[in-house]
Amino acid sequence: MPIPYDIPEVLDRREGPHGEVVLRRHGDRLEIIANGCFLMDTSDGRSERRLVDAARDALAGRERPDVLIGGLGVGFSLAHAAADPRWGRITVVEREHAIVEWHRDGPLAALSARALSDPRTEIVETDLVAHVNETSDTYDALCLDIDNGPDWTVTDGNGNLYREAGLASCARVLRPGGVLAVWSAQPSPEFEGTLRNAGFQQVRTEEIPVARGVPDVVHLAISPG
């Protein structure tokens, strides 16, 4: 007798300027797939929440810090930040219009509706790399989760963010002593070295155990100044 298994159900599929993005349901989970690459699902979220908390903790009690979250994803980081009254302005940069729509009035709205209605929250629909290069805004923390890590990017253009020039742009929009926190599915000693070469200080990597597989990590660094 064949062993039954769940077949993911595609809820929406879009073609955008950066390729294909898919939202699907797999059992009780919602999953986002970009260009055939699994990005994240709603099964856990502890490392996405820790990304935000680790950045806040590294700010050492700074009052009402402003945070930029790079990547809306399934909304774990945004929802967790909005649930914390210690954050000031919460800006989310997301380049995929489809993902924003899935949160505003689609299947992901149940996770993020309260956070999206928070007056501190602003969604900016643009590419993160372009945003840190062009914006005049500054932040106390950058929490970046747009790839599976510095060594496993969703699109080739994202790779520039993890090189010295991209990190210089991140430092430009960080206030003195601000925190850069980067989510990754695995550690990257090479990225740690690049952070130091770009002038960041107190570089470290924190592991977060997950339900299945190897731990996720958050790379943390303090901007110069």
Side-chain angles (χ1 to χ4, degrees):
M1 177 180 296
I3 298 175
Y5 61 93
D6 291 329
I7 298 176
E9 173 193 1
V10 173
L11 302 178
D12 197 5
R13 185 190 305 272
R14 307 275 187 95
E15 282 289 341
H18 306 286
E20 181 188 72
V21 60
V22 175
L23 178 67
R24 67 187 191 186
R25 189 184 306 279
H26 194 177
D28 59 357
R29 306 190 305 271
L30 294 172
E31 303 173 334
I32 295 177
I33 314 295
N35 295 316
C37 178
F38 174 87
L39 285 185
M40 59 186 63
D41 64 26
T42 57
S43 64
D44 194 341
R46 74 186 75 180
S47 62
E48 291 89 343
R49 289 187 282 266
R50 183 57 194 159
L51 173 72
V52 173
D53 285 348
R56 185 205 62 217
D57 293 347
L59 288 168
R62 189 175 299 198
E63 290 293 324
R64 301 283 291 174
D66 295 333
V67 59
L68 167 65
I69 298 174
L72 179 54
V74 297
F76 283 135
S77 294
L78 168 60
H80 194 62
D84 188 342
R86 288 171 289 185
W87 286 111
R89 180 169 50 111
I90 303 168
T91 302
V92 181
V93 174
E94 174 55 60
R95 71 183 187 181
E96 297 290 351
H97 181 67
I99 292 178
V100 176
E101 285 194 342
W102 296 335
H103 280 276
R104 290 203 186 280
D105 54 14
L108 292 170
L111 290 169
S112 55
R114 181 174 296 181
L116 289 175
S117 66
D118 191 300
R120 296 171 297 165
T121 298
E122 177 188 14
I123 304 295
V124 178
E125 291 191 45
T126 190
D127 181 77
L128 178 67
V129 177
H131 185 73
V132 297
N133 282 327
E134 299 168 4
T135 186
S136 60
D137 290 340
T138 59
Y139 310 90
D140 297 290
L142 303 184
C143 295
L144 307 186
D145 183 9
I146 62 170
D147 296 295
N148 284 321
D151 304 323
W152 187 359
T153 59
V154 175
T155 55
D156 291 340
N158 286 358
N160 295 326
L161 185 67
Y162 308 105
R163 302 186 181 106
E164 285 192 40
L167 293 175
S169 295
C170 291
R172 184 186 69 82
V173 301
L174 275 172
R175 294 165 188 158
V179 178
L180 174 63
V182 179
W183 186 95
S184 180
Q186 60 187 15
S188 177
E190 181 179 355
F191 181 58
E192 288 188 351
T194 306
L195 284 165
R196 294 187 178 96
N197 291 338
F200 282 87
Q201 304 164 359
Q202 301 179 42
V203 176
R204 64 184 179 88
T205 298
E206 179 178 326
E207 290 191 355
I208 303 98
V210 295
R212 302 184 302 273
V214 299
D216 295 335
V217 304
V218 174
H219 294 285
L220 292 158
I222 304 297
S223 67

